[in-house]
Amino acid sequence: MAFKKAKQRVSYVLPLANSPGGHRLGVNGLAVDSENSILYSGGRDGAICAWDLNLDLKSSATPDAENPFESPEDPPEDETKRSHGSSFRAQTQAHTHWVNDIVLAQNNAALVSASSDLTVRVWRPLSNDSEAPQTIGQHADYVKCLATPNSQADWVASGGLDRKICLWDLNGAGKKLEIEVGDEEKSEKGSVYALSASRSILASGGPESIVRLWDPRSGKRVTKFVGHTDNVRDILINETGDTIMTASSDQTVKVWSVTAGRCMHTLTMHNDSVWSLYSEDPSLGIFYSSDRAGLVVKTDVRGTLGELDDGLSLAVAQENDGVGKVIAHGDYIWTATSSSSINRWANVDTGSDIQLPEAYRRHRASSVASRPRQLSTTTTTNGASKKEIPAQSILRISNTASFPSAMSRETDSATAISAFGAARKGSEAIVDPDIGVIVPIHALPEETIEGQHGLVKHKLLNDRRRALTLDTAGDVLLWDLLGCIPIQSFGKRHLEDVEPEVNTMEAVAPWCSIDTRTGRLAVVLEEYNCFDAEMYADELTLEEPVDFRDDQRINLGKWVLRHIFSNLIDELIKRDEFYRKKLNDNLKKPIHRPGAPSSIQIPTNTTGWQDTTPNATPRGNGQSYPMTPGMGIGVATPAVSSHLPGVPEDGAPLDKRASQASRSSADYFSSTPIATDPKTVATPGEKSEDNQPKSPSDADKETNGKDVNTLFGKKFRMGMSFGSKKLGRSASTNTEKPVVVDEKTEDGSESSENGEKEKEVDDSFFGVVQKIRNDYEKALIDNPEQPVETGITPSLPNETPVLKPPPLTTVIIQEETSGGSADLYRGTVATVGEDASIIEQRAPMWLGDLLLRNRIPIKEPVKVSFILQPWQDQLPSIAGPDGNSRLNANRMLRVKKILAYVAERIEPAPEVPDPNALSPEEYLELYCYDQKLPITMSLATLRAHVWKGGADVMLYYKSNGRKTILTKGNETVAADATAQTAEGTS
């Protein structure tokens, strides 16, 4: 057998209503293409958006020298380039989890993104092809950050929680280099949260609070810087690679000298964790920083000749949420927060002609008097004349800075009390709001690029078919997880208030998990439990009528997967027809085998058995009428020999037709036929030889060696309805033994009947296709002149009624990894047919078995134990001679079936069935805790919501008086039934 794959899962994401482009959750990454005036954003919804800024970004707002041709009277730049505002350009759903960082490379033609879905992907938004982002690399855990030396580079570095830094080639050469972070110290905190690159050096940081430098060519460590006391969140490297700036959760920004190998400056302008740094300046003379409190700061240290305390630090803007990313270009600053919207703020001129308060001007003039004049001609925002910078907007750049001093702040602000007179540590946040009030220069952004509303909260309801969600606008929606559509809106309410209104009293096995981590509702299906949940067909509301048998159950996981992948099934049926056509066309050509007999004598069929397999449209499992198995009620007692006559756990069918139908679904969680040995099935009046299970493949494997041949159990096994008839008494005389059918192994690695080893197949979806084709070859060898019939037998509407999920429903196949899950395939309901070849190679084998052969993994049904007694002894007891009335049954068994079982045990069978007689549920009632139980309630629901305990459920049955329970003289019906049983066994 081929190498076994890691565990795989299937997910589908329900589409939200169509709306203009934009993120649905917070934004984590920003990048600007100044040549084309495009802003790119990466969000927590897994999407990357492109925005046309409609701004002139080619002319720098902070030139290095004055323009000699510009006069103060010149009008500002063309207003028309500012007036239109940003507009949506394009969007791609690049990832299935948060996008944590984005960078531009290859002359702004490649946008690289890093995500918590473990992948690094590249999107080429300027190309003519509308190609989806391509995966260029993958980590074993969340990928948190990216770095590239410049926008022209053809490689990008990524860092993740797997404690690795990887360098990826953007020209298709794959991974160039891998660096183990913290390997020497065996650190458990080697996760990479921050990364920066220049041509000659690579810097990384994380929760170790250590800054590490690496050689990007060899991957060797150059040095490390120790000094921060908390997580290093962002890093900048100057163009020459000799100065490094780091931001940390310890509320400081540190400046390090690579040549000196130490920290040169600690800047403390922030009072909260510093989350982001940005600079366009090759020498880092101007840089921007933002923190968890939402403060955006611009710092200018140009012309200070290394005395950074003489620099200027201004509070530019204040966001409502923490700013995870700040970038600036020319006259504009953009901020990304946990909001789906992006704000654009006006930049602030910090040149030598900045209008500072008088005290600051004097200090600044004296501090830079002996230095070269720093020239600046920053264009004023909106053409307005320069306004004086408020004293409250000037921040103390470090603890050792001499300004703004307490005296100057008191002089310039009568309302503010000195905040910076005493030296403070970066970790000491200002608590008193009256001390040193910081007033950002801008109260409002110039523009807000509006995002959309995404889902932020969810609640799976008890029926596990519906879910409630809350979005960022405060609206509550009710979703159908099977139809993949919202079915009701409750407006702006609390989700907890709506839940009691729509929830039902049901207990359904967990068959899926849901999440809203990308702002949409995703349903995740795992092989081990996605086929555990069922519902009764009579609870469905269908557009098209389907003929169901009584008490038929629908497997939820099987149902939804069948229709999520319906286009894939159609495509594979077409391919199968083409493949078989080629095989059948070859039948017309004579095949000569040396030594082959000229004719083969077919033995006469003396068993009376006939092959009834249809040659037309295949049915699920090859059976026309699949039955509901495992619904018998059995004696629940530890002793194998102590059982009630006539009380089965799962009965065995007697007549030939029932036997065949039963074998087709002897275990609801398997559609593999199960062989039944006649020796292990006791006929009426007989017992099994040793009352022990014969083998796992025996039809009575669920009986644990108990008597499996009682009348009631047979009918449960055959899925028969008791309706108005007296539990089908007429079948009691049929004693014909079942037909024995040999079970063939399904595993391709096991030997076949003739001793030949089966061909090996891939451990993937395509492995199922290979098995089917191998069967075709074997069929041609066995019957060389018989045309090959299809081996694809998808489930039919009576098992999986038609669902019509929206075409844009996203379909994802993932594989488990050490750090979470990695995407193997992503498409939509509409495209799974087109992607058949990809899905065949990447999807799991269990999905192929389900879709192409209607087979699901074998699994023992969960049972519930209960004690059944007459209420106040008004009716006969069902207990056996030993007084045992403890039973067990499949958790999906309904109260209706329990009442039918009671009726069979306490009433004599009528000699002639009366079609007008009342059904058991019409004259019998079942109670638990003095509560009358609905006839459609299952044992699972009863145990979870009524009994609410761990011990055996206590149930009491009584008559409602609509029918007189027959008795003979003073003898009870139970005694009479025991006598009849004794006569039958003698």
Side-chain angles (χ1 to χ4, degrees):
M1 181 64 69
F3 177 73
K4 193 169 184 63
K5 291 185 176 181
K7 188 179 295 183
Q8 293 172 306
R9 63 173 67 99
V10 177
S11 306
Y12 59 96
V13 185
L14 283 59
L16 289 170
N18 291 331
S19 60
H23 294 288
R24 294 190 177 275
L25 294 179
V27 180
N28 288 339
L30 295 174
V32 169
D33 175 0
S34 58
E35 290 296 319
N36 297 290
S37 187
I38 300 173
L39 173 71
Y40 296 100
S41 56
R44 299 179 185 180
D45 55 359
I48 297 173
C49 295
W51 309 89
D52 280 319
L53 295 175
N54 301 311
L55 298 170
D56 182 8
L57 300 179
K58 294 182 181 180
S59 59
S60 173
T62 54
D64 293 333
E66 289 184 352
N67 182 352
F69 302 104
E70 183 179 22
S71 67
E73 289 77 22
D74 287 340
E77 67 175 276
D78 187 0
E79 286 296 325
T80 60
K81 296 188 177 181
R82 298 176 181 269
S83 59
H84 298 300
S86 303
S87 58
F88 175 75
R89 177 184 177 94
Q91 179 170 333
T92 180
Q93 188 65 37
H95 296 274
T96 55
H97 210 313
W98 286 20
V99 176
N100 294 314
D101 199 5
I102 58 174
V103 294
L104 282 165
Q106 292 187 316
N107 296 313
N108 296 331
L111 184 80
V112 185
S113 55
S115 170
S116 294
D117 67 7
L118 316 188
T119 62
V120 179
R121 291 188 170 145
V122 60
W123 180 39
R124 303 188 184 276
L126 302 180
S127 66
N128 295 327
D129 301 330
S130 58
E131 201 174 74
Q134 301 299 307
T135 300
I136 59 170
Q138 185 168 312
H139 283 251
D141 209 330
Y142 291 4
V143 194
K144 296 294 290 183
C145 50
L146 295 169
T148 187
N150 52 61
S151 62
Q152 288 76 43
D154 60 0
W155 62 269
V156 66
S158 61
L161 301 189
D162 57 355
R163 302 191 287 278
K164 286 184 174 65
I165 298 171
C166 299
L167 270 64
W168 310 99
D169 185 88
L170 296 178
N171 294 319
K175 186 189 295 184
K176 297 176 60 175
L177 188 67
E178 181 177 301
I179 301 172
E180 290 278 352
V181 179
D183 187 49
E184 293 178 9
E185 294 80 8
K186 302 295 181 185
S187 171
E188 295 300 320
K189 292 185 178 180
S191 301
V192 182
Y193 276 73
L195 204 57
S196 186
S198 69
R199 295 192 198 93
S200 60
I201 205 163
L202 190 65
S204 67
E208 292 176 295
S209 309
I210 297 173
V211 181
R212 303 181 187 275
L213 303 188
W214 314 88
D215 183 343
R217 293 175 292 272
S218 65
K220 293 182 179 179
R221 196 181 77 178
V222 176
T223 186
K224 67 178 181 180
F225 296 142
V226 179
H228 280 297
T229 58
D230 207 335
N231 194 357
V232 178
R233 299 296 299 261
D234 209 351
I235 303 176
L236 297 177
I237 303 178
N238 69 348
E239 190 173 46
T240 57
D242 59 7
T243 300
I244 292 177
M245 189 175 292
T246 57
S248 170
S249 295
D250 63 12
Q251 306 179 0
T252 67
V253 175
K254 288 183 180 288
V255 181
W256 311 81
S257 169
V258 176
T259 53
R262 65 184 181 89
C263 176
M264 305 301 291
H265 304 278
T266 297
L267 309 182
T268 57
M269 71 285 281
H270 288 275
N271 291 322
D272 213 324
S273 300
V274 189
W275 281 359
S276 177
L277 288 174
Y278 181 82
S279 179
E280 289 182 288
D281 190 339
S283 63
L284 307 184
I286 294 178
F287 65 91
Y288 303 81
S289 54
S290 63
D291 63 26
R292 183 173 61 181
L295 183 65
V296 178
V297 176
K298 180 177 181 179
T299 303
D300 187 343
V301 294
R302 294 174 298 171
T304 59
L305 299 182
E307 296 296 330
L308 268 58
D309 285 356
D310 292 332
L312 179 65
S313 196
L314 300 177
V316 176
Q318 176 70 52
E319 281 278 12
N320 294 323
D321 303 294
V323 179
K325 190 71 172 179
V326 59
I327 64 170
H329 198 92
D331 295 341
Y332 314 102
I333 300 172
W334 290 268
T335 53
T337 68
S338 57
S339 164
S340 62
S341 299
I342 303 165
N343 283 331
R344 172 167 64 86
W345 307 81
N347 208 335
V348 178
D349 171 30
T350 55
S352 58
D353 56 349
I354 184 172
Q355 298 300 306
L356 294 170
E358 179 64 28
Y360 298 125
R361 286 202 300 272
R362 288 198 304 269
H363 180 92
R364 189 169 175 82
S366 63
S367 65
V368 299
S370 60
R371 301 179 188 133
R373 183 168 180 263
Q374 187 70 33
L375 302 176
S376 175
T377 57
T378 303
T379 305
T380 55
T381 304
N382 294 332
S385 60
K386 290 184 188 297
K387 295 182 179 179
E388 184 176 287
I389 302 295
Q392 294 93 336
S393 300
I394 302 176
L395 305 175
R396 194 174 187 211
I397 195 169
S398 74
N399 291 338
T400 56
S402 57
F403 80 98
S405 64
M407 186 171 297
S408 64
R409 188 172 281 274
E410 289 172 357
T411 301
D412 295 309
S413 176
T415 59
I417 301 174
S418 170
F420 303 96
R424 63 176 177 82
K425 296 180 181 178
S427 58
E428 295 176 353
I430 298 175
V431 178
D432 190 342
D434 294 327
I435 298 178
V437 175
I438 297 173
V439 180
I441 294 173
H442 299 308
L444 295 172
E446 277 192 333
E447 181 194 15
T448 297
I449 302 174
E450 294 290 347
Q452 305 300 315
H453 297 303
L455 308 180
V456 292
K457 192 175 183 180
H458 62 270
K459 171 68 177 179
L460 186 61
L461 299 183
N462 290 340
D463 59 16
R464 297 189 186 272
R465 302 187 295 274
R466 299 174 302 149
L468 280 174
T469 61
L470 177 71
D471 67 15
T472 49
D475 291 324
V476 176
L477 275 178
L478 179 65
W479 295 82
D480 176 6
L481 301 184
L482 299 172
C484 304
I485 55 173
I487 51 181
Q488 190 175 355
S489 174
F490 295 90
K492 289 177 170 52
R493 296 181 58 188
H494 291 292
L495 187 146
E496 293 76 11
D497 294 338
V498 177
E499 181 190 343
E501 300 175 14
V502 295
N503 218 346
T504 55
M505 192 171 68
E506 292 182 61
V508 178
W511 65 282
C512 68
S513 59
I514 62 175
D515 69 68
T516 50
R517 67 188 185 192
T518 61
R520 294 172 175 83
L521 186 60
V523 182
V524 183
L525 305 178
E526 307 265 10
E527 178 189 11
Y528 71 89
N529 72 340
C530 73
F531 302 115
D532 285 2
E534 298 172 304
M535 67 176 295
Y536 280 89
D538 57 21
E539 298 172 3
L540 296 175
T541 302
L542 302 175
E543 295 180 4
E544 302 175 7
V546 179
D547 187 18
F548 297 110
R549 65 182 183 275
D550 289 342
D551 293 314
Q552 180 172 338
R553 290 175 291 166
I554 306 294
N555 187 294
L556 300 184
K558 176 179 175 180
W559 187 16
V560 72
L561 286 172
R562 166 65 177 84
H563 295 289
I564 287 288
F565 289 100
S566 60
N567 287 342
L568 173 66
I569 296 172
D570 292 342
E571 174 63 24
L572 293 180
I573 288 176
K574 291 178 185 177
R575 295 186 182 189
D576 179 72
E577 289 174 352
F578 180 76
Y579 184 84
R580 286 186 296 108
K581 184 177 184 300
K582 289 198 299 183
L583 293 179
N584 292 332
D585 287 346
N586 290 335
L587 293 178
K588 300 173 183 178
K589 302 175 183 178
I591 301 175
H592 299 286
R593 288 183 297 161
S598 58
S599 64
I600 300 176
Q601 182 64 38
I602 305 299
T604 306
N605 184 354
T606 59
T607 63
W609 178 83
Q610 293 181 356
D611 185 1
T612 59
T613 303
N615 292 326
T617 304
R619 293 184 178 273
N621 287 334
Q623 299 293 337
S624 298
Y625 301 100
M627 298 299 176
T628 301
M631 293 297 285
I633 299 176
V635 178
T637 175
V640 172
S641 60
S642 175
H643 68 276
L644 292 178
V647 182
E649 186 171 333
D650 279 312
L654 293 183
D655 71 273
K656 186 186 303 181
R657 295 183 305 277
S659 175
Q660 292 169 351
S662 175
R663 281 197 308 276
S664 72
S665 54
D667 186 330
Y668 192 86
F669 297 93
S670 170
S671 51
T672 304
I674 297 178
T676 305
D677 187 344
K679 295 179 181 179
T680 67
V681 181
T683 56
E686 295 179 350
K687 288 187 177 180
S688 176
E689 291 179 2
D690 54 6
N691 270 344
Q692 297 296 327
K694 302 303 179 186
S695 76
S697 63
D698 289 339
D700 62 339
K701 68 179 181 178
E702 296 176 9
T703 64
N704 295 323
K706 300 180 180 66
D707 187 358
V708 297
N709 193 47
T710 56
L711 176 62
F712 191 78
K714 291 175 207 166
K715 291 167 184 173
F716 275 155
R717 170 68 88 180
M718 295 188 295
M720 297 173 64
S721 168
F722 296 91
S724 59
K725 296 185 179 180
K726 288 296 182 199
L727 307 176
R729 316 285 189 201
S730 59
S732 61
T733 57
N734 191 336
T735 59
E736 186 177 355
K737 293 185 178 181
V739 177
V740 177
V741 177
D742 291 331
E743 181 187 31
K744 295 182 180 180
T745 59
E746 296 299 331
D747 190 344
S749 64
E750 296 186 15
S751 299
S752 60
E753 293 177 353
N754 57 11
E756 295 180 359
K757 192 175 180 71
E758 295 283 349
K759 293 182 180 179
E760 288 189 354
V761 298
D762 296 342
D763 183 24
S764 65
F765 191 111
F766 187 63
V768 180
V769 177
Q770 290 175 311
K771 287 181 182 180
I772 293 173
R773 293 180 177 178
N774 292 343
D775 289 343
Y776 293 162
E777 294 178 10
K778 187 173 183 301
L780 285 175
I781 293 173
D782 294 342
N783 300 286
E785 298 186 4
Q786 181 71 30
V788 176
E789 298 294 339
T790 183
I792 297 181
T793 55
S795 60
L796 297 180
N798 66 334
E799 284 186 87
T800 50
V802 174
L803 290 173
K804 296 178 181 177
L808 293 179
T809 302
T810 303
V811 180
I812 305 167
I813 297 171
Q814 295 173 312
E815 182 177 80
E816 276 192 6
T817 68
S818 59
S821 60
D823 292 357
L824 299 177
Y825 167 79
R826 185 173 69 231
T828 64
V829 166
T831 63
V832 290
E834 304 167 14
D835 302 334
S837 298
I838 300 174
I839 295 175
E840 279 184 334
Q841 299 300 325
R842 300 180 183 177
M845 180 177 281
W846 62 264
L847 183 63
D849 271 325
L850 168 70
L851 300 181
L852 301 185
R853 307 170 91 182
N854 194 24
R855 294 178 176 175
I856 56 180
I858 296 174
K859 199 169 186 180
E860 291 286 343
V862 178
K863 298 190 177 182
V864 175
S865 297
F866 58 98
I867 296 173
L868 198 56
Q869 294 181 342
W871 184 71
Q872 296 183 354
D873 294 328
Q874 292 182 1
L875 291 176
S877 172
I878 64 162
D882 59 353
N884 183 14
S885 60
R886 183 171 179 263
L887 309 168
N888 67 9
N890 188 304
R891 64 183 171 191
M892 288 298 292
L893 191 75
R894 282 170 157 179
V895 167
K896 175 182 176 181
K897 286 289 187 181
I898 298 175
L899 293 176
Y901 176 77
V902 170
E904 183 184 58
R905 300 292 295 162
I906 67 175
E907 290 186 273
E911 296 181 0
V912 179
D914 182 4
N916 297 319
L918 296 175
S919 59
E921 65 270 17
E922 291 179 301
Y923 63 89
L924 291 176
E925 296 174 349
L926 198 64
Y927 285 82
C928 180
Y929 284 138
D930 296 326
Q931 177 180 337
K932 181 182 175 182
L933 305 176
I935 62 173
T936 57
M937 180 177 284
S938 67
L939 280 174
T941 302
L942 169 61
R943 185 181 188 92
H945 296 289
V946 181
W947 179 251
K948 299 179 182 178
D952 293 338
V953 181
M954 292 293 300
L955 299 176
Y956 298 92
Y957 54 90
K958 62 177 291 189
S959 170
N960 60 13
R962 295 187 61 188
K963 177 182 175 181
T964 303
I965 306 298
L966 300 177
T967 57
K968 293 183 179 180
N970 294 327
E971 296 180 350
T972 65
V973 177
D976 185 63
T978 303
Q980 289 179 355
T981 303
E983 291 174 2
T985 57
S986 61

